Each structure stands twice: as C-alpha cells, then as structure tokens.
Amino acid sequence: MTDRPRLHVSAAQLRPLLPLLAGLLVAVATWLAWTGFQQSRDAQRSGALGQARDQVVQGTSRALLAQADSMQKGLAAPEVQAALASGDLDGAATQLKAVLQRADSVEFLPTDLDAAYAALPEGSFGRLAVSEAALAEGGAVSRIVKDDGIHLAVAAPVLAGERLVAVAYARLPLALATTALQAAELGGGTYLALRQGNFTLAERGNVALVDSAEYLSAPIEGTGLRVAAAVPEETEGAFGLGAMASFIAAGVLVLVAIGAWFAWRRKPGEAGDDEAAPSELTMAEALEQGSAQAAPAAGGSTAASPMAAATGAVAAGATAAAAAATGGGLPVDPGIFRAYDIRGVLGKTLDAGVAELIGRAIGSLMQEQGANDIVVGRDGRLSGPDLVAGLTEGLRKAGRNVIDIGMVPTPVVYFATYHLHTGCGVAVTGSHNPPDYNGFKIMVGGKTLSGEAITDLYERIAQDRLHLAESRGTLAQRDVSDDYIARIASDVQVDRPIKVVVDAGNGVAGELGPRVLQAIGAQVVPLYCEIDGTFPNHHPDPSEPHNLEDLIARVQAEDAEVGIAFDGDGDRLGVVTRDGRIVFPDRLLMLFAADVLERNPGAVIVYDVKCSGRLQQHILRHGGSPLMWRTGHSLIKTKMREVEAELAGEMSGHFFFAERWYGFDDGLYAAARLLEILTQQAESPTFVLNSLPDGVSTPEIKVPAPGEDPHGFVDRFRATASFEGARTSTIDGLRVDWPDGWGLVRASNTTPVLVMRFDAESGEALARIQGEFKRQLLAIEPGLALPF
C-alpha cells in the first residue's frame, strides 16, 4: 500500500506569516479599543440622560404642586371666601381667577357634576375626570386635559366654611407643565418626552426614538404623567465584552503583536529557532476522509421525511375536498357577508366550494397589499375540516402560503398572526351560533375586516376579480398553543391560589382554557371542556343566563371562588360568583378599566351601546376617557386603533386589552387578567365583584325581527319614534337615555333578530322605560312578540 503524501511545515516556513499575524492582531486590538470607547461613551450618555430625566420629573412635579398650592391658597383668600359666604359662586370664580393670574379660565361646577355629564360627549372628559379626582381626594389635583385644546387643569373642592358647595376648575397654559422639559440639557441623539397615557404632551431630541422611549420612562408620582427617555442603540461589545474588558483585551493583543514582530525580526538560527523538528499535518488525510463521508452511497435513494409526506397528504386532501365541492357547489349568497365577519348555514349558504371562493377573494386582497403568508385555524364544529380545506385551496390558488394551526380558539389565530409575523389570518368559526352555522373571521394586513372590506370580498367573487397565481402557494402545519400559553403566563400570574370552575360549553376553548388558567397558578375544575361540535350540554353562549345555570351549580358544589364561561370559539367571557350571581360584562369592564387606569391615567376606554350608563361614570371617576361605540368585534378593534384606546369591551362579553396584550378580543386572556385582579384584593372575589356599581337591568333580549329584516325594522323605528325629555343616540340602532335609566333597540349583525336591553336606577324606572319602548315598538309592528 502506497503511503499518503504528508504536508511538512517548519518554523522557517511560518516566519514570513509573522508580520501578517502582527498586523491582524493590531487590527483586532484597534476594533476592541474602538468598541470599548463607544461603550464608554454610550454609558456616559445614558447616565447623563438619566440625570436629565430625573430633573424633569422633579421640576414638573414641583410645577404642578405649585399650581395646586396656588389653587388652595386662592380658595382661602378673603375675597373669595366673602363671595362664597354670600352665595355668589360666579363672583367667587371671578375673584379666584384674579388670584390665579396665569389661569385662562376659572369656573365653579356643582358638586353632582350632572350638567357636565349631560354635556357629554360634546363636553370635556378631562374636565370631569380632574373634578372627580379632586372630590375623591378632598384636595387640589393637577392634570393635563383636553378641553378646547391641551391644557394644564387644576381642580379642588370649594368649601364655604365647612360646607362643600362646588368644585373649582381652572384651566392654565400647558407650558407651565413643560417648562422643566424644555430646560433640560440633552446629549447628542437622545430623546425626552412628557407623556400622559398614550399621548405625548411635549418632546425634545431625536424623535426617531419615540417608540423605544417607554423602557427608560419614570413616573411623576400622583399626576398620571411620566417622562419617557431613550438613547440611540448602544454599541455591542466585541465578543460580548464590556468597555473595560475590551480595553484590556486590546492591550494584550498589542503586546502579542509586538512579540510576533520581534520574532520575525530575529535572524534564523538564533535561540528559539528550531528547524530540525518538522511539524507533520495530516490535512490531506482529513480532507480525503471528509470527502468520503460526505459522498452518498452509490445507488442510494433519498427518502421523503414524514413531515413532507404528511404535508403532501393534507394538501392532496384539501384539493380533493375543494374540487368535489366546487363541482356541485352552492351559489354565493351576499347575505352571509355581515358587518364584521362572514357567517352562514352549512348546506344552505355555505359549503367547501363557497369557502374556496372566499379564500381566493382573501388571497386577491392579500396580493394587492403585498402579503404572502396567512394563518388558518378552526373551532370544533363538525363542518370545520371541509371548510378549512376549501378555504386553503382558494388561498393557495391565489398564490398565498397557508400556515394551518389546527383546531384552536379564535384568539389563538389572532395571536399567531403576531407571533408568526404574518399579519393575516382566518378563523373558521360559527362563534356562539347553533351547530349548523359556521363562518370566517378575517384579518388582513394587521386589521380585522369589517363593513365595506367584508362587502368587497363578495364583490370580488361576483365580478370574478379573483387573482390566479402562476404558482400555487405552500401549505404547512404549525402548533402555536404552547407559545400562546407561555406568552400569557409570562405576563400574568395570580398572587395567591384560587379555585375556579371553567365551563367551555363543549366549545374549542375547552382544551386551552383550563391550561392557560393553570399556567398562571389557578386550580381549575373543568366543566363541559370536551370539544364536541354538537354542543350536547348547553349552547356555548355565556350572554344567555340559562346557559350559566350548570356553572353556578358546579361552583357552589365545588366551593370554588368564581366561575368562568367561554363561548364557542373562546373570544368571549362570562363570569359568575360563588353566591350564584351573574356578573354582566359591562360591570366586568368597570373592574378591568379601574385596573388599567391605575397604570395609564387618562386612557381611552371604548365600550358598546349595550353597556350600562354607570360604566361611563365609573371610567371618569377613575381618571379615564369613556367612548361609546357600535357593537361588533371588528368595529370595536378599528375604533380602538383610531383613538389609541388601552381597553375595550362589549356587553356580549368580548374584551380587548391593548395594555400588555395585542388589542384583539380574547376570552382566555381576559379570564387570566380577571383572576390576577381578584387575587390582588384583600376581599373575596364575590365581595369584589358584587361591589361593582349596579342597578336594575335586563340581559340582552332577542326578539325575532319582522320579515327576518332587523335592519329595516330598526330604520323604521328610528324614523318614527319620539322620546321627549330624553337624549337619543343613533350610533348603533336607537339608544335613549333618561337621568334614571336607558333603553336600546338595535339590529343583530349575525342572526335575524332585534337586540334590546334596558337599565335603570330602580325597578319602577325600568318598568316605565320598557313601557315607553313597548308602546312605540307595537305602534310600528303590532304583532311583535315582546317578552316585557
């Protein structure tokens, strides 16, 4: 056998490389020294910014306290007290304005604030919020408010002797609150801002850093304000080294480079030079061996992976199902394209062929927006697999890449659009409707489709404006359930053990719902958590009180602290207490709002037209800005983005958290946040929930619409109804508010029914309001079957 050739390298042969090595070491040392310098500079800049931020916090706090102190001294002034003693509130306000020389206006409001509430929404939410805060704290309070522009406002209780007679409200220039920020010394490229809630009142420096400034923010205690700060992205040390370690490493490398240089300069044959012992390297052997290992066996074949085989099988199944449905499919009914989703009855208005056309329409919209990837998930209805197959086929024909995440709650589909960075998703779900219903909740480009965007999908199909790609999109499977649970558990944990019963109504939340609550530390007793698309125990709709009867009984039997109910696709939440009371969602929203407003004073809270009038007052009393809007999950999400709200809720049980979450409706996450709040209280959950403001109210009342046309009936009712002495709103249907209660009639966007709700301060007021509505409803449609 012939010996393989060997590579012999001697010290003499390496000598010419020493200058190159020295140069390389100097280059690396220079790089280390430079990054060390940059890190040192960044640290100095961050330290200086922190000092500037703290000075702004202290300066702004002093300025606001000075204005509050001036208000208190002004109210105690002899001329103001003299006017108050004579009962001349207008005169007292004039005297106070003379004392508060920087005030733009001063007014005294009645302590009940009824006139200010009645002026909403045209009036100022901020004026009410600061006035309520002053009454609650019993002293002067400073806030930044939106009242004919952005201003500094100071409010304080007005006493005539020991008697509370009014609330003083003064509006001052915003500049009084921003002086410290404007005077701060900023280093190069840094950023400072004065913020309240989501609103930036004033800012200085590098505005490109606006989105990263919350990380270094510091609150101004007792004001609801904070100072946000940011520095440019800091230099990352070479090899993960800090500044000092970089300098030391650079010095060591320079010394080694000097040694290499002198070794090169030394003449051959001097001490330390050894040419007699060659270094044998088996490089050729290693290369030859590596090549042999890399070469495939002759005549071998490459087997397809199990995942590839499975993906191909699913794709083939989807294609076959869609092709079969299209062959004798249903015509596309425009009636299934609703206000905020697509929904129909299987075999009548919906099948796999219709789903394929909807998929092509969604894919065409994505193609126009430059979106390629889309998440698809489904609930536990029996028709789900066929509809997913048809939808997937249509999306792939439009060239879109489908990520199938399987049978999951609708919120998990929304989560996956963020987690997988697609911005697009479709949940195939019938929500809380009967088993033969199914439908599609659609997100494209990060926005849930509603209104005209839904109608446009039908028009694309009707006009055959459907994109057909040259090559089909791909299909992949992905399980994100563990990621979803981990994301919630990383943000929410209970403060103490709490025992809860979870009723999923055999809906798709039955598997993940208990797991989420267990992950945050709760002890869960499952009820009807086996996923069954026939819903054998009760309908999965927690807004109907009779669907909660089994949950109430189980909570009491298990001696649990609270009961949690989810709807069919897990995006809605119902709650019952240990003593058997149903906590309506508008009262739950009060609890959520108070919690969110502790960290985000002045934040906008959106609620739908079916919520109690007490909710508005509760939000204002906790320093928030209430905004009533139309019912519908996609409509609420759109409004939230428009007004940058931190929280929203609907009477149906949809809750939308933008604070600490993504802003979509999520019954599972809302349940976790509820348990977090309840375990932070010293009182029992039953006490906390029963203590929320309450009156006399009805649940949602659903009445079959004449001619199955709820929108047409509501249009007629709005045109003819007349309620004297009341304030009306036509945001969604007709809502009529009196000082002691309100009533609502609106058209359902999901089923052919009229939705009504009534709420009042007393049983007598409720009966009067219902009677007035009944009289006018029957005047239009005498045969209307009203249950009141």
Side-chain angles (χ1 to χ4, degrees):
M1 186 169 107
T2 306
D3 289 339
R4 291 188 179 91
R6 298 182 180 272
L7 179 63
H8 302 276
V9 180
S10 67
Q13 289 173 312
L14 287 175
R15 182 180 298 279
L17 299 177
L18 290 177
L20 179 61
L21 175 62
L24 179 61
L25 291 173
V26 169
V28 174
T30 303
W31 176 41
L32 285 167
W34 173 249
T35 57
F37 167 76
Q38 294 281 72
Q39 288 178 289
S40 178
R41 184 203 60 182
D42 291 345
Q44 292 176 355
R45 183 166 54 185
S46 295
L49 181 67
Q51 291 180 350
R53 177 203 59 199
D54 293 344
Q55 289 172 359
V56 174
V57 168
Q58 295 167 9
T60 305
S61 178
R62 285 194 297 268
L64 297 184
L65 288 174
Q67 297 305 318
D69 186 57
S70 296
M71 170 68 86
Q72 295 282 48
K73 290 179 179 178
L75 289 172
E79 56 270 30
V80 175
Q81 284 296 310
L84 290 174
S86 65
D88 182 8
L89 293 181
D90 290 339
T94 301
Q95 293 294 336
L96 180 60
K97 187 175 187 303
V99 174
L100 301 176
Q101 298 180 359
R102 298 292 302 274
D104 297 329
S105 64
V106 174
E107 57 183 316
F108 283 11
L109 306 174
T111 55
D112 58 15
L113 299 175
D114 284 347
Y117 276 108
L120 297 176
E122 288 78 14
S124 168
F125 289 111
R127 181 173 64 164
L128 269 171
V130 70
S131 299
E132 290 279 15
L135 288 172
E137 297 186 18
V141 174
S142 300
R143 294 283 190 275
I144 306 299
V145 302
K146 187 176 183 180
D147 183 4
D148 192 23
I150 306 299
H151 296 276
L152 169 63
V154 183
V158 179
L159 301 176
E162 298 295 325
R163 184 168 56 91
L164 179 66
V165 296
V167 181
Y169 172 80
R171 199 175 69 191
L172 300 102
L174 179 63
L176 292 172
T178 61
T179 301
L181 176 69
Q182 301 301 337
E185 295 185 9
L186 287 184
T190 58
Y191 173 83
L192 277 179
L194 181 64
R195 293 177 175 174
Q196 178 172 275
N198 285 327
F199 191 77
T200 297
L201 303 168
E203 60 185 356
R204 290 184 57 209
N206 182 6
V207 295
L209 303 176
V210 62
D211 292 331
S212 60
E214 286 302 319
Y215 180 72
L216 296 177
S217 65
I220 304 175
E221 295 297 335
T223 68
L225 300 173
R226 66 190 183 281
V227 179
V231 293
E233 185 175 355
E234 296 185 348
T235 304
E236 184 176 350
F239 311 115
L241 299 177
M244 183 57 66
S246 295
F247 287 133
I248 293 172
V252 171
L253 290 179
V254 168
L255 291 177
V256 174
I258 293 173
W261 175 261
F262 278 109
W264 176 72
R265 295 277 297 177
R266 190 167 51 244
K267 295 179 181 180
E270 292 182 359
D273 213 12
D274 184 6
E275 296 185 77
S279 173
E280 295 189 353
L281 303 178
T282 58
M283 184 182 300
E285 292 178 328
L287 290 174
E288 184 176 339
Q289 181 181 6
S291 299
Q293 291 174 345
S301 63
T302 304
S305 69
M307 178 60 73
T311 302
V314 172
T319 303
T326 307
L330 296 168
V332 179
D333 182 355
I336 68 175
F337 295 80
R338 310 296 182 91
Y340 36 85
D341 56 24
I342 300 173
R343 198 166 301 178
V345 179
L346 194 73
K348 294 182 179 180
T349 57
L350 202 58
D351 65 4
V354 174
E356 179 181 329
L357 292 172
I358 291 171
R360 289 190 62 190
I362 296 169
S364 300
L365 176 62
M366 291 175 60
Q367 189 265 340
E368 292 175 2
Q369 296 188 9
N372 295 317
D373 302 328
I374 184 167
V375 171
V376 173
R378 64 177 177 87
D379 67 13
R381 292 168 188 266
L382 304 182
S383 58
D386 286 344
L387 295 183
V388 167
L391 176 74
T392 299
E393 178 68 10
L395 289 166
R396 296 183 67 195
K397 282 184 177 179
R400 303 310 100 185
N401 303 321
V402 177
I403 305 172
D404 187 344
I405 62 171
M407 186 168 61
V408 293
T410 293
V412 179
V413 175
Y414 297 148
F415 167 79
T417 66
Y418 291 91
H419 185 64
L420 303 179
H421 308 292
T422 67
C424 302
V426 180
V428 178
T429 174
S431 188
H432 59 281
N433 286 287
D436 56 343
Y437 276 74
N438 216 325
F440 308 87
K441 294 180 179 179
I442 306 162
M443 178 185 287
V444 175
K447 297 179 180 179
T448 303
L449 301 192
S450 62
E452 293 181 359
I454 294 284
T455 305
D456 176 67
L457 296 179
Y458 169 72
E459 292 175 350
R460 288 175 184 273
I461 296 171
Q463 299 168 12
D464 196 24
R465 293 188 289 111
L466 302 176
H467 175 66
L468 182 63
E470 294 182 1
S471 58
R472 290 165 56 84
T474 61
L475 173 63
Q477 281 75 39
R478 180 77 178 265
D479 185 353
V480 298
S481 298
D482 290 343
D483 298 322
Y484 173 77
I485 294 171
R487 173 63 178 82
I488 294 178
S490 69
D491 174 64
V492 182
Q493 287 289 315
V494 296
D495 277 14
R496 62 169 179 81
I498 182 171
K499 185 177 183 180
V500 300
V501 177
V502 173
D503 180 359
N506 299 113
V508 73
E511 197 268 329
L512 279 186
R515 288 179 59 194
V516 166
L517 300 186
Q518 288 167 347
I520 70 167
Q523 179 187 349
V524 177
V525 178
L527 175 65
Y528 307 144
C529 287
E530 304 81 13
I531 301 174
D532 185 340
T534 65
F535 310 125
N537 293 291
H538 65 73
H539 201 53
D541 183 358
S543 67
E544 295 287 352
H546 65 269
N547 291 328
L548 299 174
E549 293 172 357
D550 290 354
L551 177 61
I552 291 171
R554 190 65 175 271
V555 167
Q556 294 173 342
E558 295 284 347
D559 195 29
E561 295 188 64
V562 69
I564 300 293
F566 299 121
D567 74 331
D569 67 334
D571 60 4
R572 296 197 292 146
L573 172 68
V575 176
V576 302
T577 62
R578 175 182 278 170
D579 61 0
R581 295 185 63 183
I582 297 172
V583 186
F584 286 138
D586 52 357
R587 296 179 66 225
L588 278 180
L589 188 56
M590 295 178 188
L591 187 68
F592 290 140
D595 176 66
V596 169
L597 289 169
E598 284 185 7
R599 296 177 293 277
N600 302 272
V604 176
I605 311 294
V606 180
Y607 58 95
D608 78 326
V609 296
K610 295 183 289 185
C611 289
S612 166
R614 285 176 290 278
L615 174 59
Q616 180 192 69
Q617 298 174 20
H618 192 80
I619 293 170
L620 286 165
R621 285 187 169 89
H622 284 81
S625 301
L627 178 63
M628 184 168 69
W629 194 238
R630 298 169 60 194
T631 295
H633 67 94
S634 57
L635 306 177
I636 292 288
K637 279 180 276 196
T638 299
K639 196 64 177 179
M640 283 185 74
R641 285 194 301 271
E642 178 185 327
V643 301
E644 297 182 335
E646 295 285 1
L647 173 69
E650 295 184 277
M651 188 60 198
S652 58
H654 290 273
F655 295 100
F656 312 75
F657 287 87
E659 191 230 26
R660 297 163 52 188
W661 198 236
Y662 301 95
F664 54 75
D665 41 333
D666 189 338
L668 284 67
Y669 179 76
R673 289 286 289 262
L674 173 65
L675 298 187
E676 177 187 55
I677 295 169
L678 293 177
T679 58
Q680 291 171 349
Q681 312 302 315
E683 301 84 4
S684 70
T686 297
F687 179 86
V688 171
L689 293 170
N690 288 345
S691 299
L692 294 169
D694 198 7
V696 182
S697 61
T698 69
E700 291 186 19
I701 299 171
K702 297 175 182 177
V703 177
E708 296 192 345
D709 182 13
H711 293 279
F713 179 86
V714 169
D715 288 342
R716 284 192 290 147
F717 184 61
R718 276 194 301 216
T720 60
S722 176
F723 297 90
E724 293 190 12
R727 183 161 44 94
T728 61
S729 169
T730 57
I731 291 174
D732 188 359
L734 180 63
R735 174 167 167 153
V736 185
D737 283 79
W738 287 269
D740 58 351
W742 57 274
L744 167 74
V745 176
R746 62 176 292 274
S748 170
N749 287 309
T750 58
T751 52
V753 299
L754 302 172
V755 179
M756 306 180 190
R757 190 171 187 239
F758 303 93
D759 182 277
E761 297 297 333
S762 65
E764 293 77 11
L766 184 70
R768 187 194 80 245
I769 293 170
Q770 285 185 314
E772 184 62 23
F773 266 82
K774 184 173 185 177
R775 181 180 65 81
Q776 300 206 39
L777 287 167
L778 293 178
I780 297 175
E781 189 68 37
L784 202 62
L786 298 175
F788 55 87

